[in-house]
Amino acid sequence: MITDDTIVALSSGTGGAIAVIRMSGEQCAEICDRVVRSAKGRSVATSKGYTMLYGDVVEADGSVIDDAVVAIYKAPHSYTGEDMVEITVHASRYIIRRTIARLVEAGARAATAGEFTARAFLAGRMDLSQAEAVADIIASHDRATHHLASRQMRGGYSDELQGLRGRLLHLAAMLELELDFGEEDVEFADRSELRTLMAEIAEKIESLTSSFALGRAIKEGVGVAIVGRPNAGKSTLLNTLLHDQRAIVSDVAGTTRDVIEEHLDIDGVDFRFIDTAGLHSSNDMLEQMGMERSRKAIEEAHIILALVDGTTLPKSTEEAKNSVLEVLGEIGCGADERCLVVINKCDVAVCDCSAVAEKLDAVLPHPAVTISAKSGVGVDELMQGISAMIDSQRIYTDAVTVSGARHYEALVRAAEALARARENLNIASPEMTARDIREVLDLLGTITGEVTSDQILSEIFSKFCIGK
Ligand code: GDP
């Protein structure tokens, strides 16, 4: 991973009129000057950083491939901390291929995945969690994911974790000093201070780990499974939500045989709506397979919309309420915290849907919503209800939200090691306490990259695309 040669890659995405080819490394100026002929006889080598140069990208025989603008960065004031150029050419696949080929002929090497960002990390331009956030910010698809990535990229995690690490480091040093004194009965680390600090850190780690459920949901898209008996109106609801005809609507029970997933942005958060095949007993193989996938989608969903067909409910409010509860029991969505009950077809139902919903409130975790999926009445209220079930606004507070699985795992293991450290302190074993605290320090260090290995780095950066 640690090389000092000069690397090159296309950094801009596909499509568009212009392309940006990036090169980084010591030989950058020299290589660029061999390939780009400046109109005014200037060179990258003699140019200052943060300037631009205009010229032609040329073949070995002097023929012109394209005209180009070269942005010049001088170490350490660049993304990678090395000398860098960004060559802008027209976005023709031929021009891009020839320009990169010419730069390679002139001495550059084709960059591997994530190599520019890896160099930025190794040069100390950013820590590991910030480097990972670069990939997240490029992948961000709504206000919430952008906010999470942007905050992490600006060092949100790092401040929090380095603060914790710094204080623990001091404690570990004190304990280790005691151990150095061996037989002598000295106590440098004040035990009650140690206990207080460890409790405080455990609480901090706990608050970080508990934010992961929300962080992950936002990053992956909040899964909303629409479940209910066949014909309850699941496909119709999905179509109304999306204003198109993605799901197949028909009067024949069991039409939706597969799981259909669609994305919808509500208040800046990406929700993944999953229309599941109706859950009911069936001998049809295809339907059974669809139902199996439905069960899985339900298991993994953050929110379950339990859709009840209002036209199947009796007129009496009390009886209708019991009938809804029966359906909920059947689809396994009774007391589940994730469950939001939706009574559909209220435009034609014989019962008083609102009165039934009101009666249900006493026994349900969230107020039931009444709609007509067909006409769209009540659908806005339903969206508000869905949005309220995910406390997405929490990510905009001062607290840091963990969204990376790697970070979460390190935090969980750190919490375990810290719990052991606290136990060992209680049984007066400074050796074991010191060892456990070291483990906590190492684990926290892997998040920001203060403690790392080639293996961790290549795992992280290989997931990037080339040119990042
Ligand atoms: P699914 O099997 O749960 O996906 O149900 P569909 O979405 O295919 O709907 C079954 C039938 O109910 C279709 O004929 C829909 O037009 C009808 N339907 C769905 N929602 C409503 C509604 O709110 N009001 C009325 N009147 N009919 C509806």
Side-chain angles (χ1 to χ4, degrees), residues 338-411:
R338 302 175 299 159
C339 196
L340 180 63
V341 175
V342 184
I343 305 176
N344 187 31
K345 307 194 192 179
C346 290
D347 51 331
V348 285
V350 290
C351 66
D352 178 346
C353 288
S354 310
V356 178
E358 214 169 290
K359 258 214 170 319
L360 282 165
D361 281 354
V363 287
L364 296 177
H366 306 282
V369 184
T370 58
I371 62 161
S372 164
K374 202 169 186 176
S375 71
V377 170
V379 171
D380 283 347
E381 290 76 5
L382 173 61
M383 296 224 282
Q384 282 165 20
I386 292 168
S387 180
M389 283 179 72
I390 281 278
D391 183 15
S392 64
Q393 295 310 307
R394 214 170 67 209
I395 66 164
Y396 302 107
T397 62
D398 283 342
V400 170
T401 308
V402 176
S403 62
R406 189 183 78 82
H407 301 170
Y408 173 72
E409 277 157 28
L411 286 166

Side-chain angles (χ1 to χ4, degrees), residues 242-260:
L242 299 163
H243 305 293
D244 72 15
Q245 295 294 310
R246 174 70 177 81
I248 317 149
V249 181
S250 91
D251 285 323
V252 187
T255 313
T256 310
R257 285 184 165 157
D258 214 335
V259 174
I260 293 171

Side-chain angles (χ1 to χ4, degrees), residues 200-446:
E200 198 186 312
I201 290 172
E203 201 177 304
K204 192 78 235 178
I205 293 179
E206 158 67 23
S207 102
L208 285 171
T209 49
S210 66
S211 74
F212 179 62
L214 177 64
R216 184 173 60 174
I218 284 174
K219 197 164 167 178
E220 293 174 356
V222 183
V224 186
I226 310 178
V227 302
R229 284 178 178 166
N231 261 341
K234 298 180 291 298
S235 309
T236 308
L237 174 61
L238 191 64
N239 287 338
T240 304
L241 284 169
L242 299 163
H243 305 293
D244 72 15
Q245 295 294 310
R246 174 70 177 81
I248 317 149
V249 181
S250 91
D251 285 323
V252 187
T255 313
T256 310
R257 285 184 165 157
D258 214 335
V259 174
I260 293 171
E261 182 177 310
E262 292 288 354
H263 292 253
L264 191 68
D265 185 312
I266 307 178
D267 295 336
V269 177
D270 177 38
F271 285 82
R272 285 183 294 117
F273 281 84
I274 306 145
D275 177 5
T276 63
L279 291 175
H280 62 117
S281 53
S282 164
N283 292 326
D284 184 304
M285 258 263 287
L286 265 178
E287 272 195 57
Q288 280 178 0
M289 279 163 65
M291 283 193 279
E292 193 43 48
R293 267 183 290 233
S294 296
R295 276 196 200 93
K296 196 158 179 326
I298 294 163
E299 233 173 73
E300 289 167 2
H302 299 97
I303 297 173
I304 302 168
L305 287 192
L307 204 59
V308 179
D309 183 344
T311 62
T312 63
L313 303 178
K315 199 165 186 330
S316 136
T317 302
E318 184 60 28
E319 280 172 31
K321 180 193 105 174
N322 291 334
S323 183
V324 172
L325 291 176
E326 196 180 303
V327 178
L328 292 182
E330 193 181 298
I331 56 179
C333 205
D336 196 326
E337 265 295 319
R338 302 175 299 159
C339 196
L340 180 63
V341 175
V342 184
I343 305 176
N344 187 31
K345 307 194 192 179
C346 290
D347 51 331
V348 285
V350 290
C351 66
D352 178 346
C353 288
S354 310
V356 178
E358 214 169 290
K359 258 214 170 319
L360 282 165
D361 281 354
V363 287
L364 296 177
H366 306 282
V369 184
T370 58
I371 62 161
S372 164
K374 202 169 186 176
S375 71
V377 170
V379 171
D380 283 347
E381 290 76 5
L382 173 61
M383 296 224 282
Q384 282 165 20
I386 292 168
S387 180
M389 283 179 72
I390 281 278
D391 183 15
S392 64
Q393 295 310 307
R394 214 170 67 209
I395 66 164
Y396 302 107
T397 62
D398 283 342
V400 170
T401 308
V402 176
S403 62
R406 189 183 78 82
H407 301 170
Y408 173 72
E409 277 157 28
L411 286 166
V412 168
R413 287 177 56 202
E416 286 163 7
L418 190 62
R420 283 197 300 274
R422 292 169 78 184
E423 249 167 57
N424 284 325
L425 188 67
N426 285 339
I427 58 165
S429 169
E431 289 92 351
M432 283 181 354
T433 310
R435 186 203 56 198
D436 295 331
I437 293 181
R438 275 283 156 202
E439 195 181 333
V440 178
L441 287 170
D442 282 356
L443 286 162
L444 295 181
T446 59

Side-chain angles (χ1 to χ4, degrees), residues 117-129:
T117 308
R119 286 191 177 194
F121 163 67
L122 292 169
R125 300 287 293 168
M126 54 180 81
D127 71 27
L128 201 52
S129 73

